[in-house]
């Protein structure tokens, strides 16, 4: 099948429906941009009232055009959009972009029109970008298409940028040149009625023009698909994303904006991390980092060399390196010897190397070479301080020339030289990324390094454990059709045991009399629990007694529980008593499954007690998880240290925690019916055999 | 006495020693800057070889000048600096600035010359700025002095900027214009041989030209003085500082830079927080915030209104507001009614208010007024999205005009309009601060709001508790002349009790026989501890047994301790046994005093156990602290929730923790001899009477 996004992004001909001959209108600006940027195909303005637009013959309707039209850009008034689609359908145009606004983003009425728009798109087997978007760009020399209405001239490069906000897209396009950001393609997806961020991701995945993908998103249509796609893509191409509407206030603002229903930020963080997407907060940060991926090599290690003609900026760079876990190591004696010949005695031969302000292009070039050759260094930041009497463009050119062909990561910092930066492209079309502040270069290196580690991570394994799947099926069958019910404690035990999750053993007593009967047959110490299908928060109700040492204590404990339940008017909820071995020591954790409305089941891990209740220190991942992810979840909580054994305790069996997470993930994957599984506490010890789930809840 | 910094910063005449007639030299550039910027006083170039420089008569030495010289700028080669100082001494010049480098920053040799330089400065009763600095600026219309050698034209405003790094100073000066940053004064302090950051702070404190103080620092000469100064200054003027060399790597880099010995970042954080200084990490952030203080009013509350013509940027602003604890509340019905008349139905009347892209100056102006009048709003961010067909300078002007005279905080965001921003000053000399990104405006508002709260905080009280000061003096007298010794446990008890700090009671037994004798006279349960002047880490040695219930257990515990000490070959360190009541429950905390080499004694607070050992969750302050600071210390630890009572526990007596901190602070202030005081654990309960220090160490 023909990939119709080719027709959208590399069209041989474009019809602009609603093109205006009046300067100052958006549609005039779009045709003007196409012409001025040197579009390699044919432009067909469509306007019933104009003979020509921008010196190009205009047509009353698309069907008056004799040539084939690849892409139709629709800028007619809102009420005429559907008619225009019909015209395009007749003309057999397959790629449509609707710039016109006034659809879902404006409320119910608009949403209805949008639904109708989608229906026609399907009917004509078209692909639609928009509505309510601001255009497309493809800087490939064979296409040279600036099909937007915003000012600014895109410069070619390897960055793909997809934006859910037209204004942010426009803001970026206006500043690419002065910030030396090279775009390959840009797509403003607007309301995402058909083509979404995921569609573009799939399209760019195997497109050689795109070296790095950047995204501005306010919402996710299909978070799971996004995660699966980006997890694969990030093996070969970095993906950097702003997901705005992070806060609930931001979400409210977003939903009145492009009609987006935003996912909880906790969930978003989980699956962005899981998919290797680099999450950033501002467009400035996004393109600072994208530029680095586009123009620099990935660093082999975390060791950074810094070359400067000014001390202060170098110190800021060192601080920022340390902040991001990068090292600024000492240089080899050989390098120092080379540098000694270049640097006056007042300068510094140690890393950061200070050439002092008078250093000229020749000195910079030789020092750059010397440092790049140092085997102690993986990356190099070259800082050119604010210019005094020197031609800094000359210095920059010399540094770039010295760095060309290197296999190491090189970044250039030109402080207070906003006027110089755009000219670097003229003298050196291919050059390292340039920054205005040393901190930003250091930050970019850290992201390259993190990405390199991500890219080269071992392929995780989705382990399959033996399980008694049928046991679980049989229990769940009973609950089919029921909603929001908790399983009985016996069923919970059976399900967990079916998947090798070590629920602690129990005996039950239906009456106090039964309790007396079994009291001298059990092994002490034990825990006594009140059980009832409606007694969910039994600890809070006083329904749990621990560390019971003999039959006498057991009966007294039962009396205590009964008294407490009576006090809370809940005695009628008591169905039976549960007796379990008393476990002390170990580290209490929580393993769980919750369901996100859009993303589906998610697995959770954290330490129990104050760590979850007070500090909310938990990690989420989308189910299923692989072994690498399970290990990562354990290590990513802030209280991880507690598992390694503090205050004389032995470290717990981390591998067994990971295994338990994988078993729980498998259970959740096998049975999407589970709405909530809560293993709390799951106590881990240094020995696998001692680890037990002391309490568990399951909701279907 | 004459304030000689007046002569430095508002001189009536300047001699430039080492002025060159050769274009392209630094000294030529400095004279050129003075002339071009329109310096209101007289310039006297001094150069034995030139008759005139920059059309100004030149003099062979300063002593050839007949007029009085207020400020001498010394740019002669390093070896001639001391001679030049002598010349200036003869001429009775009191204000000196040495731009020449090659002093302390280059090593031992240079440090020697710098010492000699300082000696001469003292001898002639001069004030010295530098050496190794890059100049001075004063934009006051009566002075108009750009006495630097860097390119760029300062624009007048209310910001004072003092920089320890010449390059960063130069970087800022080069970008002030395009970023619309208005400077009042700038001082590059270089090596700080005489005039330091503190000197400038004192000078600017009562200078009406300075509305906000910004500082780039790599080191502190006298942190305590800095703290005391800024604590007072920030009552009337905000102080924003970058303290670089935050990391140990950065510190190493800094010390080879301006010869600075950097203080530990933990200490720096403590006293910056204590002094109300706003700490930032980058120059961009510093001036973003400084601009806000200079050009906007302080907000009365945390409620922010957002007005935009583009949805995406508004969402980013909302997110950022929420991040910093600012609210984006709903608007009043009245405001919405006003806005309804201005906004097309597709726009948004809710906060953030979306006018849609076609909104012109008139609409923006009316909407700005409507929102500023809303009583639900304390601050307003007006976002002008990237320009399409509109004259955004006209919009900006209209917004500024609408906002002029308001008592609320107004910020303007002009996205992708770097070309427009510098022109705003031309059409509206007084206008709200302008930002390129909405996030930065939100961040700035949060800093204004935090500062407002700081400024209006109640004056803290340094409480004085009754204390038996003489008891402590008597004990300390025994240790006079000794270094690094721990006091005996009896002395520790006496000292703490003298200051009302509730050390738990003890009885002692010198031998096992003594122990048997007292075993039936004490109240159980108790704790048994091994005591010895060299047994510092007694728990680790097995020297502590807890929860002892009767004489029999007591003796068995003593045997256990003896066995363990024997095992560790430490039995000979055992001097006696200590018996204390056993305390269970409560919350274990640590209160302590440590000494920083430069900042002096500091008080510490944190929770005990895993919170200090694993999470290092502690807060430091310089001694003495007042009641507000004590309360703040308790609330600023991450585990504060634990004190409020979690998992059914009662909250502990927070006021009594604060009182204990104040008592400890008083003890430390009264006796600077204490090198270390460690009250660990200090157990707090809901009732003051139950709170006890269970163990304590004091080192002198």
């Amino acid at each position: 099948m023909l990939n119709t996004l080719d027709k959208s992004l590399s069209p041989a001909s474009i019809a602009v429906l609603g093109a205006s001959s009046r300067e100052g209108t958006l549609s005039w600006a779009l045709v003007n941009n196409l012409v001025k940027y040197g579009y390699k195909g044919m432009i067909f303005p469509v306007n019933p009232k104009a003979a020509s637009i921008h010196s190009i013959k205009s047509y009353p309707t698309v069907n008056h055009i004799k040539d084939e039209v690849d892409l139709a850009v629709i800028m007619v008034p809102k009420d005429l959009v559907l008619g225009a689609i019909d015209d395009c359908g007749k003309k057999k145009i397959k790629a449509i972009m609707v710039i016109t606004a006034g659809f879902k983003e404006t409320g119910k009425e608009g949403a209805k029109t949008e639904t109708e728009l989608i229906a026609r798109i399907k009917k004509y087997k078209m692909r639609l970008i928009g509505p309510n978007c601001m255009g497309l760009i493809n800087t490939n020399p064979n296409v040279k298409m600036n099909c937007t209405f915003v000012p600014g001239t895109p410069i070619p490069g390897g960055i793909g940028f997809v934006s859910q906000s037209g204004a942010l897209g426009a803001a970026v396009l206006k500043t690419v040149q002065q910030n030396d950001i090279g775009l390959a393609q840009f797509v403003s997806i607007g309301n995402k009625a058909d083509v979404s961020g995921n569609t573009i991701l799939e399209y760019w995945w195997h497109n050689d023009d795109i070296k790095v993908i950047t995204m501005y998103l306010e919402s996710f249509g299909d978070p799971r698909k996004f995660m699966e796609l980006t997890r694969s893509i990030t093996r070969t191409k970095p993906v950097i994303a702003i997901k705005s509407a992070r806060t609930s206030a931001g979400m409210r603002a977003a939903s009145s904006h492009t009609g987006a229903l935003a996912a909880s930020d906790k969930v978003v963080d989980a699956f962005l991390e899981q998919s290797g997407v680099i999450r950033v907060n501002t467009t400035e940060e996004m393109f600072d980092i994208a530029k680095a991926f586009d123009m620099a090599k990935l660093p082999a290690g975390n060791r950074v060399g810094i070359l400067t003609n000014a001390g202060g900026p170098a110190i800021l760079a060192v601080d920022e390196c340390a902040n991001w876990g990068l090292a600024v190591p000492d240089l080899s004696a050989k390098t120092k010897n080379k540098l000694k010949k270049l640097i006056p005695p007042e300068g510094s031969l140690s890393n950061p190397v200070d050439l002092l302000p008078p250093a000229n292009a020749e000195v910079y070039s030789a020092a750059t070479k010397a440092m790049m050759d140092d085997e102690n260094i993986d990356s190099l930041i070259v800082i050119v301080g604010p210019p005094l009497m020197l031609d800094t463009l000359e210095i920059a050119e010399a540094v770039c020339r010295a760095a060309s062909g290197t296999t190491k990561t090189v970044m250039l910092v030109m402080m207070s030289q906003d006027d110089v930066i755009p000219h670097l492209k003229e003298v050196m079309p291919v050059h390292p990324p340039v920054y205005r502040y040393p901190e930003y270069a250091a930050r970019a290196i850290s992201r390259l390094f993190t990405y390199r580690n991500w890219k080269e991570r071992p392929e995780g394994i989705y382990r399959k454990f033996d399980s008694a799947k049928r046991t679980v099926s049989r229990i769940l069958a009973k609950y089919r059709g029921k909603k929001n019910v908790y399983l009985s404690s016996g069923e919970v035990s059976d399900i967990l045991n079916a998947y090798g999750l070590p629920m602690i053993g129990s005996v039950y007593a239906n009456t106090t009399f039964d309790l007396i009967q079994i009291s001298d047959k059990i092994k002490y110490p034990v825990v006594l629990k009140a059980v009832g299908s409606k007694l969910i928060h039994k600890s809070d109700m006083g329904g749990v007694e621990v560390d019971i040492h003999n039959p006498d204590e057991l009966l007294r404990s039962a009396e205590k529980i009964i008294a407490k339940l009576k006090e809370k008017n809940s005695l009628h909820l008591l169905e039976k008593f549960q007796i379990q071995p008393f476990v002390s020591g170990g580290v209490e954790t929580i393993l769980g499954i919750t369901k996100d409305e859009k993303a589906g089941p998610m697995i959770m891990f954290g330490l129990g007690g104050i760590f979850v209740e007070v500090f909310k220190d938990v990690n989420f991942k989308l189910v299923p998880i692989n072994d690498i992810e399970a290990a990562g979840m354990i290590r990513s909580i802030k209280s991880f240290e507690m598992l390694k054994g503090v205050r004389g305790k032995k470290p717990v069996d981390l591998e067994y925690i990971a295994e338990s997470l994988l078993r729980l993930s498998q259970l959740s994957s096998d049975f999407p019916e589970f709405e909530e599984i809560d293993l709390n506490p799951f106590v881990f010890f240094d020995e696998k055999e001692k680890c037990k789930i002391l309490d568990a809840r399951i909701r279907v």
Side-chain angles (χ1 to χ4, degrees), chain A:
Chain A
M1 201 197 85
L2 175 86
N3 187 332
T4 41
L5 278 191
D6 275 340
K7 294 254 179 206
S8 307
L9 278 155
S10 303
S13 53
I14 304 173
V16 182
L17 285 75
S20 169
S21 56
R22 220 169 63 244
E23 273 193 44
T25 59
L26 296 186
S27 59
W28 181 88
L30 183 130
V31 174
N32 184 47
N33 273 349
L34 279 171
V35 174
K36 262 178 39 192
Y37 194 63
Y39 172 54
K40 294 285 185 183
M42 294 172 285
I43 307 169
F44 299 111
V46 176
N47 181 332
K49 290 181 205 146
S52 76
I53 287 166
H54 220 294
S55 319
I56 306 172
K57 177 183 158 71
S58 173
Y59 298 80
T61 75
V62 276
N63 287 295
H64 287 79
I65 305 168
K66 293 281 164 287
D67 299 81
E68 200 173 307
V69 173
D70 279 353
L71 168 66
V73 178
I74 295 180
M75 303 184 78
V76 298
K78 188 175 61 176
D79 299 338
L80 306 179
V81 168
L82 295 179
I85 298 288
D86 287 335
D87 286 354
C88 293
K90 228 178 281 168
K91 178 70 186 159
K92 304 222 160 11
I93 304 175
K94 294 299 172 199
I96 306 284
M97 169 163 71
V98 177
I99 286 184
T100 310
F103 292 85
K104 195 174 69 184
E105 80 279 11
T106 61
K108 262 192 190 166
E109 197 69 23
K112 249 171 69 183
T113 324
E114 189 162 319
T115 309
E116 182 52 35
L117 173 63
I118 297 168
R120 305 231 177 159
I121 291 294
K122 284 208 176 124
K123 178 176 147 196
Y124 298 121
K125 298 194 167 63
M126 294 162 161
R127 288 239 77 165
L128 167 69
I129 292 172
N132 184 26
C133 73
M134 49 134 310
L136 294 168
I137 287 173
N138 187 345
T139 64
N140 183 302
N142 298 321
V143 184
K144 288 201 84 179
M145 171 179 70
N146 178 3
C147 190
T148 72
F149 51 78
V150 300
T153 308
I155 61 170
I159 302 175
F161 175 37
V162 51
S163 178
Q164 197 174 338
S165 157
L168 278 174
V172 170
L173 293 185
K174 246 222 105 187
T175 55
V176 284
Q177 196 162 21
Q178 74 207 72
N179 290 298
D180 199 30
I181 296 164
L183 285 181
Q185 298 185 13
F186 163 73
V187 183
S188 163
I189 50 177
N191 287 7
K192 312 192 288 185
D194 173 32
V195 168
S196 68
N198 285 347
T199 326
I200 305 288
L201 277 174
E202 275 187 302
Y203 182 66
W204 281 346
W205 187 359
H206 302 293
N207 185 315
D208 291 338
D209 288 348
I210 309 287
K211 280 178 67 183
V212 43
I213 296 171
T214 59
M215 318 185 83
Y216 170 82
L217 300 170
E218 287 166 4
S219 62
F220 288 101
D222 186 345
R224 193 163 281 269
K225 172 134 191 237
F226 177 87
M227 202 264 289
E228 279 157 13
L229 255 175
T230 45
R231 183 140 65 170
S232 300
I233 295 173
T234 52
R235 281 250 170 229
T236 49
K237 286 179 191 186
V239 178
I240 309 168
I242 298 177
K243 164 64 180 67
S244 75
R246 277 174 293 147
T247 58
S248 54
M251 281 178 215
R252 274 198 309 281
S255 64
S256 76
H257 177 217
T258 26
L261 189 73
S264 141
D265 204 52
K266 195 107 194 167
V267 179
V268 173
D269 259 342
F271 71 76
L272 287 188
E273 192 194 311
Q274 213 170 345
S275 53
V277 170
I278 299 162
R279 188 175 190 178
V280 294
N281 289 326
T282 69
T283 47
E284 197 180 23
E285 190 183 354
M286 182 155 76
F287 287 97
D288 262 3
I289 294 168
K291 198 158 81 171
F293 280 107
D294 186 22
M295 303 165 94
K297 300 267 192 314
L298 294 183
N302 75 335
R303 303 164 309 163
V304 181
I306 299 170
L307 178 64
T308 186
N309 63 354
I315 296 171
L316 289 174
V318 173
D319 274 348
E320 197 71 3
C321 283
N323 248 359
W324 295 112
L326 301 174
V328 183
D330 206 13
L331 302 174
S332 71
K334 198 173 144 196
T335 309
K336 284 189 178 173
N337 269 332
K338 288 189 212 164
L339 291 171
K340 211 169 194 168
K341 290 167 199 145
L342 301 168
I343 305 178
E346 295 82 19
S348 162
L349 295 175
S350 299
N351 191 9
V353 171
D354 192 348
L355 301 173
L356 299 185
N360 60 17
E362 207 179 317
V363 172
Y364 257 104
S365 168
T368 301
K369 276 190 193 137
M371 289 187 76
M372 278 191 324
D373 288 346
D374 193 310
E375 63 220 358
N376 292 347
I377 295 298
D378 305 304
S379 305
L380 179 63
I381 299 176
V382 182
I383 302 171
V384 182
L388 301 172
M389 301 301 128
L390 294 156
D391 182 343
T392 53
L393 186 58
E394 196 182 294
I395 293 179
E397 191 187 340
V399 171
C400 297
R401 228 172 269 286
S404 70
T406 178
T407 55
K408 297 194 175 177
T409 312
V410 180
M411 308 257 159
L412 188 56
V413 179
M414 306 276 286
M415 296 192 71
S416 313
Q417 292 159 69
D418 296 7
D419 40 344
V420 177
I421 291 174
H423 295 291
L424 193 52
K425 199 132 207 144
E426 296 159 16
V427 295
M428 285 289 287
V430 176
H431 59 260
V434 188
Y435 296 91
R436 295 164 187 220
Y437 299 95
E439 306 90 290
Y440 299 158
R443 180 176 66 181
I445 290 178
S446 86
R447 296 301 185 282
L448 297 189
F449 181 61
T450 306
Y451 173 70
R452 189 203 167 90
N453 288 340
W454 167 260
K455 195 175 160 167
E456 295 182 351
R457 75 196 186 280
E459 193 75 66
I461 295 164
Y462 293 87
R463 287 178 64 184
K464 273 277 170 208
F465 299 92
D466 287 339
S467 62
K469 211 169 159 179
R470 290 186 50 195
T471 309
V472 182
S473 300
R474 215 176 310 121
I475 294 171
L476 289 179
K478 293 200 287 177
Y479 289 91
R480 201 152 293 144
K482 289 186 185 157
K483 271 206 163 163
N484 211 18
V485 277
Y486 284 94
L487 304 192
S488 76
S489 57
E491 290 164 342
V492 167
S493 280
D494 290 346
I495 288 175
L496 296 178
N497 290 327
Y499 275 73
L501 290 159
M503 186 68 199
I504 199 159
S506 293
V507 289
Y508 293 93
N510 287 319
T511 63
T512 322
F513 182 74
D514 287 355
L515 202 64
I516 296 170
Q517 289 228 306
I518 57 171
S519 66
D520 52 2
K521 292 180 197 102
I522 55 181
K523 209 182 141 205
Y524 291 91
V526 295
V527 175
L528 182 69
K529 291 180 184 173
V531 170
S533 60
K534 282 181 180 147
L535 260 174
I536 303 304
H537 298 286
K538 51 184 172 292
S539 317
D540 300 347
M541 306 292 282
V544 180
E545 290 287 319
V546 301
D547 204 8
I548 300 165
H549 283 261
N550 50 52
D552 189 42
E553 274 182 36
L554 183 68
L555 294 176
R556 268 192 286 139
S557 299
E559 280 159 22
K560 247 196 216 168
I561 287 175
I562 289 170
K564 279 185 190 158
L565 289 178
K566 205 178 262 172
E567 205 181 292
K568 305 223 168 174
N569 290 321
S570 303
L571 190 55
H572 60 287
L573 301 177
L574 176 67
E575 290 164 14
K576 55 187 167 187
F577 285 108
Q578 185 178 22
I579 302 132
Q580 295 174 332
F582 173 66
V583 174
S584 70
V587 181
E588 289 195 358
T589 70
I590 299 188
L591 279 70
I593 298 287
T594 53
K595 222 171 197 175
D596 179 74
E597 208 182 312
K598 294 186 102 184
M602 303 184 59
I603 188 163
M604 192 197 85
F605 174 71
L607 257 57
I610 53 163
F611 295 100
V612 60
E613 287 168 25
V614 182
F615 300 112
K616 319 277 179 230
D617 179 21
V618 292
N619 186 280
F620 286 95
K621 288 270 176 294
L622 266 66
V623 165
I625 53 168
N626 60 37
D627 56 347
I628 307 278
E629 286 167 344
M633 286 183 80
I634 299 166
R635 279 157 188 83
S636 69
I637 58 169
K638 292 189 204 88
S639 43
F640 173 60
E641 288 292 319
M642 300 295 297
L643 296 168
K644 293 198 327 199
V646 297
R647 320 195 88 198
K649 272 194 184 181
K650 283 186 190 163
V652 306
D653 185 341
L654 295 177
E655 284 200 24
Y656 186 57
I657 303 182
E659 181 184 322
S660 303
L661 282 165
L662 292 170
R663 285 178 183 272
L664 182 60
S665 167
Q666 182 177 339
L667 174 62
S668 163
S669 302
D670 287 351
F671 298 96
E673 296 95 319
F674 293 120
E675 288 292 324
E676 183 193 341
I677 301 179
D678 197 16
L679 314 183
N680 175 16
F682 194 156
V683 185
F684 286 91
F685 291 85
D686 53 329
E687 287 165 54
K688 180 173 166 174
E689 289 67 33
K690 283 160 86 183
C691 306
K692 290 285 174 212
I693 300 164
L694 303 190
D695 207 348
R697 280 192 309 182
I698 297 182
R699 188 163 56 89
V700 290

